[in-house]
Amino acid sequence: MKQNMHIVILTAGYGNGHIQVARTLKQSLIRSGVRSVSVIDLYREAHPGMNSVSRSLYLYSPWFSAYGLDYYGWSYYATRDLQKTSAIAKWGNQLGMKKLITLLQKQRPDAIISTFPFGGITDQLQKHGIRVPVFTVVTDFSLHNRWLFTRPDRYYVATADLKREMIERGVPAEAIVVSGIPVREPFYEPVRSANPQAQAQAPRASERSRSVLVMMGAHIPLPDVQLITAKLLALPDVRVDLVCGGNDKLRRRLERRFAGHERLQLFGYVEAIHDRMREAACIVTKAGGITLSEAIQIRTPIVVYKPFSGQERENARYLERKGAAAVAISPRALAEQVHELIDSEVRRARMLQQYDELAAGCATETIVRDVLRLTGRLQAMADGQ
């Protein structure tokens, strides 16, 4: 169905998740017949210098934290319950808004979707007399008050628990849809597509049941990777597939350290990471909302290693409380968790049962369908006035 609409998706480059969700939504909107979709990294457009510095501080925060300077974690927890009327919130809510209004006056979109907690968008729209529906996609399992500083026409959230927490903080229940977090289309496929060559290269079922996929992260690698790898390879008959992404230096270092080890396979960037995840008995990863959602959707048990302070730690804590992830803070504890997940059918079954409850349908389709329906309805109401 053709949708004669132009939609703007606002995002920010702090971690890979916000941008990845924006791209996933754009692809789905285009497939749904939307005329045009613009993805805008608002802070990069509005404040390029500040954005570059703040992104660097974000990306290097785990290293500083390891030496006792956990400035990112401190700032996250200090502002988690921040009120919109505070001086810090008022300052933060102005960032990028002048640029946003200029872009909106030029592009005149039919709807705005945000995948990052920009504050004060609806206030600015009202101030400048711009009438356009606003939608917010919350990309974590935990709640920070910055997500609430813009009051959109609709929130899309990961879980019913998160919806309840938002209601307790004053968000109307009808403004919240429990959609899940959008992930790329291949993760919604029930089975891997038939490919004789890929099938021939894939591990046999007996090997796959003891395969561990270690994912390093798009920008910030897992800590202690050599110790992790050694501990995992010490487990009986366990195969380790380690994805280094674009970190060639790390990959060469691991090749030297574990040269010739037959149960270790190193990869650079893997396009079809969903296939690797399906073949694994469990994954070892960071606690970004997108990676966790991908594993939940594809139903691969999760072990989170040393989650970083802030939203990743809160994501990990939430899933651990639900029985949907194991969390380890040392290489030894990690190996023990992996060993139990591989060998305990009861533990795996409990975790997969949680995934059945969390992965309720296709989040991307739910969001896109609702955005188009509500935008069309609001347009019709405006035209009828």
Side-chain angles (χ1 to χ4, degrees), residues 211-327:
S211 172
V212 179
L213 179 64
V214 180
M215 301 175 64
M216 295 302 296
H219 299 292
I220 306 173
L222 286 172
D224 310 323
V225 63
Q226 293 194 49
L227 291 173
I228 288 173
T229 305
K231 286 290 186 182
L232 292 175
L233 290 173
L235 296 174
D237 302 321
V238 166
R239 167 197 173 104
V240 178
D241 292 337
L242 199 155
V243 178
C244 299
N247 195 334
D248 293 331
K249 183 178 179 181
L250 173 63
R251 183 177 181 179
R252 290 193 296 270
R253 187 162 69 244
L254 291 171
E255 286 173 344
R256 291 193 297 270
R257 169 68 174 80
F258 298 99
H261 203 297
E262 61 182 14
R263 287 190 285 114
L264 173 65
Q265 191 167 4
L266 300 173
F267 301 90
Y269 176 74
V270 178
E271 179 69 33
I273 192 65
H274 50 281
D275 284 338
R276 291 288 166 191
M277 291 173 72
R278 280 196 177 94
E279 293 163 1
C282 67
I283 67 166
V284 176
T285 183
K286 294 163 67 263
I290 310 309
T291 300
L292 296 176
S293 296
E294 290 172 345
I296 288 168
Q297 190 65 48
I298 219 163
R299 290 166 171 76
T300 301
I302 302 164
V303 183
V304 176
Y305 184 66
K306 284 188 178 180
F308 303 136
S309 292
Q311 67 267 28
E312 291 200 4
R313 180 173 294 170
E314 296 309 307
N315 288 341
R317 285 173 173 171
Y318 172 77
L319 292 182
E320 185 179 38
R321 288 195 303 269
K322 298 289 286 186
V327 179

Side-chain angles (χ1 to χ4, degrees), residues 60-75 309 313:
Y60 283 102
S61 61
W63 282 274
F64 284 99
S65 179
Y67 290 98
L69 185 59
D70 187 16
Y71 55 82
Y72 180 78
W74 176 85
S75 64
S309 292
R313 180 173 294 170

Side-chain angles (χ1 to χ4, degrees), residues 98-159:
K98 183 177 180 180
K99 182 68 173 182
L100 174 62
I101 295 302
T102 300
L103 288 169
L104 296 181
Q105 289 173 338
K106 180 180 179 180
Q107 296 199 17
R108 301 176 64 84
D110 297 286
I112 300 168
I113 303 174
S114 178
T115 68
F116 186 83
F118 297 108
I121 292 177
T122 44
D123 291 341
Q124 289 294 320
L125 296 181
Q126 185 176 8
K127 178 181 176 181
H128 289 84
I130 299 174
R131 300 181 63 182
V132 58
V134 178
F135 306 90
T136 295
V137 181
V138 180
T139 54
D140 287 303
F141 293 87
S142 58
L143 183 62
H144 191 288
N145 263 10
R146 275 200 59 81
W147 287 106
L148 308 181
F149 293 164
T150 284
R151 287 299 175 98
D153 295 274
R154 194 84 87 214
Y155 283 102
Y156 302 101
V157 302
T159 67

Side-chain angles (χ1 to χ4, degrees), residues 43-59:
Y43 288 158
R44 187 180 65 182
E45 293 277 346
H47 309 288
M50 183 205 73
N51 181 68
S52 179
V53 171
S54 59
R55 282 190 74 248
S56 295
L57 287 171
Y58 170 77
L59 293 174

Side-chain angles (χ1 to χ4, degrees), residues 3-15:
Q3 304 281 350
N4 190 28
M5 295 180 184
H6 171 57
I7 295 178
V8 165
I9 302 178
L10 301 176
T11 190
Y14 295 85

